[in-house]
Amino acid sequence: MRDALNDRRLLAWIAVALLLRALPMLWWGWATEDCTRDECIFRIAARPLLAGEPMGLAPRGWLPAPGYPYLLAACEAAFGSMEAVKWVQWASTVPLLLAVRALGLRQGGPRVAEVAVALVALHPTLAFFVGTLWTESIYTLLLVLCVLSWVRFVERASDGRGVVAGVALGTTVLFRGMATWWLPMGAAGAALAWWFAGARDARPARSEIGRRLVPYVVTTAAVLTPWSVTASAQYGGWVVSDATLGHVAAMGNDTPPPFTFDYGIGLLTGEQFAATEAQGRSTCPIRQGPLVYDACERARALRWASAHPVAFLERVPVRWAQMLNPHTFLTRHVLWGFWPGLSWGIRMAVVVWQAGWTVLLVLGGALGLGLRPLTLGARAAVALIAYYFAVIGCLYGISRFRLPLEPLLAIGCADALVHRQELLATARSAPRRGLAVGAVAVGLLALLSTYLSSGFPGWLR
């Protein structure tokens, strides 16, 4: 930390990032009561907490993860407004950039760390989400902290580092249930890293590996237990963090086209949403509680996928393309006029900026993570990206789901930009690896291009 405070370039990028994120809120206002979809759901879930009651459910019956509603309730109690969370998210930019720097140093040294910090500091969509009531700002920070704390724990196993990694992971799960499976992934990854780190005769005993993992696993469980026990007792079934899997699975696996909410390719009005449901999409009853509803929706999605295996497989690349859509929620926000006073040229410049940033990070990140040495952080990033692709491919896609991965992609992209010559040398010296990474890059480019035109005027499509 001391060396970070003495790094003038880092401090300058932190200042730029904070200014970029604060300006829209200061110019157009931050204390608005307007909300969109999940923003409204988080408010609904948080309000009962202020009256000392259990957390609320989404109107459609599913149980959200508790982290963000509790954070909104805490902001209301402390500052008199849930909207104050935007300034908490603004402040979270600092630890995010510090964590990116720490991982960048491990990946490729000071220059890679600086470029990675710059890529995240200037990230237009990350800047945009700070001024919303979506979970992305906090969740992105938690994801990067999970990776950093796991890397530090594996680098030098100790009870203290295991506890820190466990707290980071447990907190992340409380903000998004998708992270639940990271515990077995992280434990298995740490065990393999320790097992293969040294020579065969220097490998730790299996019992020693198990002992090293205890603080990580136990602390994660300890962070989750209070909420898990309370929610399980309240709803009459096992709850770890949320009960949303069925809802998400059913949104993407039904006879009508899957739901998505990005500009130009999604269902952006209540009328469109209702029209799609009228095509034959049915939902499970919500009267029996969120766990029954979730199980019913999961079963319904599984029945559809089993009855339509070809359609299910055909939707996998479509969902990946939706996740990699270069036009995020920032596009619809700007083009719908939520920031009044911007000229057409400035609006188009913002759209091009954020779309170009996505393409740069995804392709550059793939090249950096694929052709540069795989550090522990890079291996964790690759594992998380693969996990996201697997989950999204089976459920449904939206650009918002990609966003938390982009700081990790930024580190790989920075490594590729700084070590361009080494990338070419690796591709020549290991042609199979080069061909594999090239094939992945071509596939990603195709997916990125699928909806690239959706955010531009018709004459540019």
Side-chain angles (χ1 to χ4, degrees):
M1 177 61 72
R2 184 175 301 172
D3 65 321
L5 294 176
N6 293 327
D7 187 338
R8 293 185 178 181
R9 289 179 177 270
L10 172 66
L11 297 177
W13 282 119
I14 290 175
V16 169
L18 291 174
L19 181 62
L20 179 64
R21 286 150 177 78
L23 279 177
M25 293 194 290
L26 294 174
W27 188 267
W28 284 285
W30 59 272
T32 172
E33 293 300 318
D34 294 336
C35 60
T36 302
R37 298 193 186 280
D38 285 12
E39 291 183 298
C40 306
I41 291 171
F42 294 134
R43 287 179 185 272
I44 292 169
R47 285 192 186 110
L49 298 173
L50 296 167
E53 300 173 358
M55 190 179 77
L57 301 175
R60 289 185 172 266
W62 43 272
L63 175 68
Y68 203 69
Y70 270 87
L71 179 59
L72 291 182
C75 287
E76 176 77 31
F79 306 111
S81 171
M82 292 185 188
E83 299 284 333
V85 76
K86 296 175 182 179
W87 293 107
V88 175
Q89 292 167 172
W90 175 79
S92 75
T93 302
V94 176
L96 173 63
L97 294 179
L98 292 175
V100 167
R101 176 182 182 271
L103 287 170
L105 287 172
R106 287 168 167 81
Q107 178 65 23
R111 182 58 179 158
V112 169
E114 181 186 345
V115 174
V117 166
L119 290 171
V120 175
L122 296 175
H123 196 302
T125 314
L126 286 175
F128 161 73
F129 270 99
V130 162
T132 71
L133 295 189
W134 299 81
T135 64
E136 267 53 46
S137 295
I138 301 298
Y139 181 73
T140 299
L141 168 64
L142 291 173
L143 184 148
V144 176
L145 290 178
C146 270
V147 173
L148 177 59
S149 61
W150 180 86
V151 167
R152 286 170 50 82
F153 175 47
V154 175
E155 285 175 343
R156 191 175 76 242
S158 68
D159 291 349
R161 291 191 173 197
V163 167
V164 171
V167 169
L169 178 53
T171 305
T172 304
V173 174
L174 290 176
F175 273 80
R176 189 167 294 177
M178 187 176 181
T180 301
W181 294 103
W182 296 359
L183 179 57
M185 287 173 58
L192 289 172
W194 291 325
W195 180 255
F196 290 107
R200 183 180 296 273
D201 57 357
R203 289 174 177 171
R206 293 176 183 174
S207 59
E208 171 61 18
I209 290 177
R211 192 207 66 76
R212 293 181 185 182
L213 288 172
V214 167
Y216 178 53
V217 175
V218 170
T219 304
T220 304
V223 172
L224 295 173
T225 295
W227 166 254
S228 179
V229 170
T230 301
S232 297
Q234 180 179 350
Y235 297 112
W238 189 45
V239 176
V240 176
S241 173
D242 63 3
T244 62
L245 176 59
H247 174 72
V248 174
M251 289 182 74
N253 293 286
D254 203 339
T255 300
F259 289 136
T260 190
F261 302 99
D262 282 306
Y263 186 89
I265 66 169
L267 302 165
L268 297 182
T269 67
E271 291 80 4
Q272 290 174 310
F273 195 93
T276 300
E277 288 191 319
Q279 295 178 32
R281 182 181 295 273
S282 60
T283 57
C284 293
I286 64 175
R287 293 184 299 274
Q288 298 178 15
L291 301 189
V292 174
Y293 168 79
D294 189 66
C296 176
E297 290 284 89
R298 276 186 281 125
R300 189 168 69 82
L302 186 59
R303 284 196 303 271
W304 182 89
S306 300
H308 305 86
V310 175
F312 173 81
L313 292 175
E314 288 175 344
R315 287 184 180 183
V316 171
V318 173
R319 288 188 266 248
W320 289 344
Q322 290 169 340
M323 180 177 70
L324 293 175
N325 176 15
H327 298 292
T328 68
F329 286 14
L330 173 58
T331 294
R332 77 182 196 191
H333 191 86
V334 170
L335 295 185
W336 276 3
F338 285 106
W339 287 343
L342 295 180
S343 67
W344 183 90
I346 293 177
R347 292 202 305 271
M348 284 297 101
V350 171
V351 171
V352 170
W353 173 23
Q354 63 97 42
W357 220 251
T358 296
V359 174
L360 171 65
L361 293 186
V362 172
L363 292 181
L367 293 175
L369 294 173
L371 293 176
R372 291 290 295 150
L374 280 177
T375 62
L376 278 172
R379 292 176 190 276
V382 170
L384 285 178
I385 292 168
Y387 172 71
Y388 264 75
F389 268 81
V391 172
I392 298 306
C394 295
L395 301 177
Y396 91 108
I398 193 170
S399 66
R400 186 167 61 88
F401 294 163
R402 179 196 72 246
L403 194 66
L405 298 173
E406 294 205 349
L408 301 178
L409 289 169
I411 296 167
C413 182
D415 203 10
L417 292 172
V418 172
H419 299 105
R420 297 181 296 278
Q421 299 301 321
E422 288 85 342
L423 290 183
L424 296 174
T426 299
R428 293 193 189 101
S429 62
R432 291 184 179 179
R433 182 178 176 184
L435 286 174
V437 174
V440 169
V442 170
L444 290 173
L445 182 60
L447 295 171
L448 286 164
S449 302
T450 303
Y451 299 114
L452 179 61
S453 64
S454 64
F456 297 109
W459 57 271
L460 288 176
R461 295 183 184 176

